Amino acid sequence: MNRRLFLKKSMAAAGIWMGPGLMVSSCSRNLHSELMGQDPIPAGMGQAAWNILYYASLAPSGHNSQPWFVEIVNETEWIIGSDAKRWLTVVDGSNREVLLSLGAFMENLVQAAGAVGFHADVQVIAQDPFDSRIARVNLTRSVPADIPLDRLVKRRTIKRHLLPGELKSADVASFSKAAGGHLYYFPRGSSHSDHMAKEAVANFEGQFKNEQAMEEAAKWTRLSDRDARKFRDGLTTDGMEITGISGWVVRNFMDSQDVMGETFRQKGIEKVKKQAGEGSGWLVMNSDGTSVRDLLECGRR
């Protein structure tokens, strides 16, 4: 057994899921900030347009697949598209999650446009979840709005060490108002909350036991820093909160095929069960229906 294989087998099983661990100097890094840096502005595109698209691209998406593209018709007219090469055909066969992600992309774009002095009018043009052209954006000059775009940069999906205290009624009411009454809160310990936790675990168990779903996840897994820099998408160790010594082991001695292994799956299920039991309950967002427009609007909310 060579050194690499020995370390992979002996350290991975014991170390990947050891929790936060100790962050030693040799493991410290800030790849997240590095990957968030802006690329050079393409020829023919102004700084304002590039800034808008940069912030739009920070929207969340399933497996961080980033299933969007933007066609620049001219300086003030853009088409937001759905990139079929980035669809998750196994776990999202109906493109429901794709449309939610595109909605989030659209809302980021609208917020960023407002901050840099443009009003973005978004018109949905898609009729089918599998259409490639989703929405038309028309930009007009306006007074810059006071919108804290740094919050889009800082947004993260945090899944561990959530506080158990019930959310304040005033905060829930504020969230619900911002969501147009489409948001519901089920406090921890309630029957609804317990049901959500149970179903969330069952959903993950189903995915971990589905060979095709795991193959799809492996395709989007970027365990090494090299792959994270190369693709700038997918499931990274930072995104999965595998940090410290554990993160160093995974980044250096594991690859996407290890995702298919029984140890990874079992430890993943155990982790989800623990996560589902944390926090102050569940916030649930719903939509008016299941049309393309309904799901895009839900994503925007």
Side-chain angles (χ1 to χ4, degrees):
M1 184 181 294
N2 61 40
R3 176 175 177 272
R4 177 185 174 88
L5 186 58
F6 171 77
L7 285 171
K8 179 189 289 188
K9 289 182 175 296
S10 62
M11 296 182 68
I16 296 174
W17 307 103
M18 60 188 289
L22 299 175
M23 178 64 80
V24 296
S25 59
S26 62
C27 299
S28 63
R29 53 207 275 286
N30 196 2
L31 184 64
H32 181 264
S33 295
E34 177 187 331
L35 296 181
M36 297 293 271
Q38 295 190 31
D39 293 319
I41 300 175
M45 179 176 287
Q47 181 70 57
W50 184 241
N51 285 346
I52 292 171
L53 293 179
Y54 166 71
Y55 286 108
S57 73
L58 304 182
S61 57
H63 286 2
N64 191 26
S65 59
Q66 303 170 26
W68 44 69
F69 67 84
V70 177
E71 174 189 340
I72 307 297
V73 179
N74 54 54
E75 291 184 357
T76 61
E77 182 181 350
W78 301 345
I79 299 295
I80 297 176
S82 179
D83 189 348
K85 297 188 299 296
R86 293 177 171 274
W87 293 348
L88 305 177
T89 57
V90 178
V91 297
D92 184 29
S94 65
N95 267 9
R96 174 182 178 274
E97 304 297 328
V98 165
L99 292 173
L100 292 173
S101 299
L102 286 166
F105 179 90
M106 290 161 53
E107 184 61 26
N108 273 21
L109 187 151
V110 169
Q111 295 294 329
V116 301
F118 286 89
H119 171 73
D121 179 56
V122 180
Q123 298 178 329
V124 176
I125 58 178
Q127 298 294 323
D128 187 275
F130 300 97
D131 286 345
S132 62
R133 292 160 64 89
I134 302 299
R136 178 178 288 106
V137 179
N138 289 292
L139 299 170
T140 55
R141 284 285 184 180
S142 65
V143 177
D146 183 16
I147 299 173
L149 295 181
D150 62 304
R151 295 182 183 178
L152 300 183
V153 178
K154 294 177 180 178
R155 180 197 63 79
R156 287 189 60 203
T157 300
I158 305 297
K159 300 180 179 179
R160 299 191 308 178
H161 311 304
L162 302 180
L163 300 177
E166 185 171 335
L167 298 182
K168 296 179 180 179
S169 298
D171 290 336
V172 175
S174 179
F175 295 155
S176 182
K177 181 180 179 181
H182 287 270
L183 183 143
Y184 303 89
Y185 173 48
F186 303 123
R188 179 176 181 169
S190 66
S191 59
H192 287 83
S193 178
D194 292 343
H195 177 75
M196 292 294 295
K198 179 180 178 181
E199 291 302 314
V201 172
N203 178 65
F204 273 95
E205 286 180 329
Q207 290 193 37
F208 278 117
K209 294 175 181 178
N210 184 319
E211 291 299 318
Q212 290 183 314
M214 293 305 293
E215 288 176 0
E216 187 171 67
K219 173 186 174 182
W220 287 99
T221 300
R222 322 292 188 214
L223 295 183
S224 69
D225 286 353
R226 179 187 60 191
D227 282 348
R229 292 188 178 99
K230 177 182 178 180
F231 296 103
R232 297 176 70 171
D233 60 14
L235 303 167
T236 65
T237 54
D238 296 69
M240 293 185 286
E241 298 183 293
I242 305 175
T243 59
I245 296 175
S246 302
W248 181 84
V249 172
V250 173
R251 291 192 302 274
N252 289 278
F253 297 103
M254 299 186 71
D255 55 39
S256 59
Q257 288 307 305
D258 290 301
V259 175
M260 302 293 296
E262 184 60 31
T263 298
F264 191 98
R265 302 187 199 205
Q266 188 56 44
K267 293 298 182 180
I269 293 174
E270 293 174 6
K271 190 174 184 179
V272 169
K273 288 181 178 179
K274 182 177 180 180
Q275 291 169 349
E278 292 186 347
S280 60
W282 297 79
L283 287 166
V284 178
M285 186 89 69
N286 75 342
S287 62
D288 290 323
T290 59
S291 70
V292 170
R293 186 180 299 274
D294 289 334
L295 293 176
L296 289 171
E297 286 301 311
C298 188
R300 290 190 64 173
R301 284 193 287 269

